[in-house]
Amino acid sequence: MFSFFKKKPAPDTTPTPPSPPAADTVAVPDGNVEPAPAAEVTPPPAAAKPSWTERLKSGLAKTRDKLGKQLAGLFGGGKIDDDLYEELEAVLLTSDMGMDATSHLLRDVRERVSLKGLKDASELKGALKDALIELIQPLEQPLQMHGKKPYVIMLAGVNGAGKTTSIGKLAKYFQSQGKSVLLAAGDTFRAAAREQLIAWGERNNVTVIAQQSGDAAAVCYDAMQAAMARGIDIVIADTAGRLPTQLHLMEEIKKVKRVIQKAIPDAPHEVVLVLDANIGQNAINQVVAFDQALGLTGLILTKLDGTAKGGVIAGIAKQHPVPLRFIGVGEGIDDLRPFSTRDFVDALFD
Ligand SMILES: Nc1nc2c(ncn2[C@@H]2O[C@H](COP(=O)(O)OP(=O)(O)OP(=O)(O)O)[C@@H](O)[C@H]2O)c(=O)[nH]1
Ligand SMILES: [Mg+2]
């Protein structure tokens, strides 16, 4: 179900009874008027099998196969010596951790080895696991809404990173926590992008605020107004894909942020960069550039299932840490979850 402000308002067919509207109508800046029944939703049925832990593990299979197999060779036995450290360095570099994180981890592992008086290569696995956990733990900071209503999440990222798909998954995730969700179709560059978000909205029984024409900032402004009128818990704003080098497009997304702020002064509460794990070390450059332009508060790392470059999380933690809110390990609606260091490292090593 969705609404086009430029068209006549769509009837609300949400399955639960509407709560009393905060206002009967919502005036939008261009003079259009949207009736504002509440978009309360029924929580979806319980998550499908297999479990998240199993999906995470199978999603990380490529990274684990590459990293794990090589490490298994190293940890097989024998003495801990300089040759072994050199081999370990090469293995870590091939999993896209990058030079900084690799050097950091090696130093940390050496310290742990000498502190504990470890001698045998088979004991190195535990030391590496502990060092990795300590490095990436600071990225594990689940979203906190702090009672904000609506809590506004704005997504940014390059083309095809997985923004729109992640919004669909997030809508389902938040609904399963009993929250009401509204989506803003802020990718006004492609008609197909709007249709894609509307399809996600229909699948999740969530209202999508869209316009057939108009700019992204106007759509997001409308969405903020609608969310406030309807007493929605969470608004998620989609945006068009862009490269940080496309300066006019970076100006456009800064404007989207400013206009959201105009509607709700402390919003957006969360500015998320969506990253495709396949790009490996390039992810760090994107984090730096988008952070500079927008002031990122969080990251979503998608497509970990399609790549052996999962080590990039260590690179981000070392070079430009921004909280990793969610990771995606597949195209299914349940394939996105909050990032857990322990689960991630366990899935990588075990
Ligand atoms: N395997 C896998 N595919 C994913 C994941 N997340 C997204 N995808 C796929 O990636 C493709 C692009 O996803 P979109 O959500 O359209 O990406 P986007 O960032 O919105 O793209 P633009 O709107 O063009 O900028 C789709 O085919 C998704 O199904 C994931 O975690 N794993
Ligand atoms: Mg998109």
XYZ file of all heavy atoms in Angstrom, residues 164 187 190 196 238, ligand 2:
44
model
N 17.848 -0.167 -1.267
C 16.394 -0.404 -1.307
C 16.060 -1.785 -0.731
O 15.108 -1.931 0.042
C 15.892 -0.256 -2.763
O 16.374 0.997 -3.268
C 14.384 -0.258 -2.820
N 14.412 7.968 -3.857
C 15.147 7.813 -5.114
C 14.213 8.220 -6.229
O 13.408 7.428 -6.721
C 15.609 6.363 -5.305
C 16.392 6.185 -6.606
O 16.438 7.142 -7.406
O 16.967 5.099 -6.822
N 14.940 7.284 -10.788
C 14.447 6.212 -11.657
C 13.033 5.833 -11.211
O 12.797 5.585 -10.032
C 15.343 4.966 -11.529
C 16.747 5.150 -12.053
C 17.542 3.855 -11.928
N 17.689 3.431 -10.539
C 17.253 2.277 -10.066
N 16.617 1.434 -10.850
N 17.446 1.959 -8.811
N 10.161 -0.290 -7.018
C 10.838 -1.328 -6.217
C 10.523 -1.126 -4.733
O 10.211 -2.091 -4.025
C 12.352 -1.216 -6.456
C 13.172 -2.343 -5.850
C 14.680 -2.064 -5.931
O 15.113 -1.023 -6.458
N 15.478 -2.972 -5.394
N 14.744 6.179 1.480
C 15.612 5.665 0.430
C 16.187 6.862 -0.332
O 15.563 7.935 -0.381
C 14.789 4.799 -0.529
C 15.652 3.925 -1.440
O 16.864 3.789 -1.172
O 15.099 3.368 -2.419
Mg 17.677 1.628 -4.708
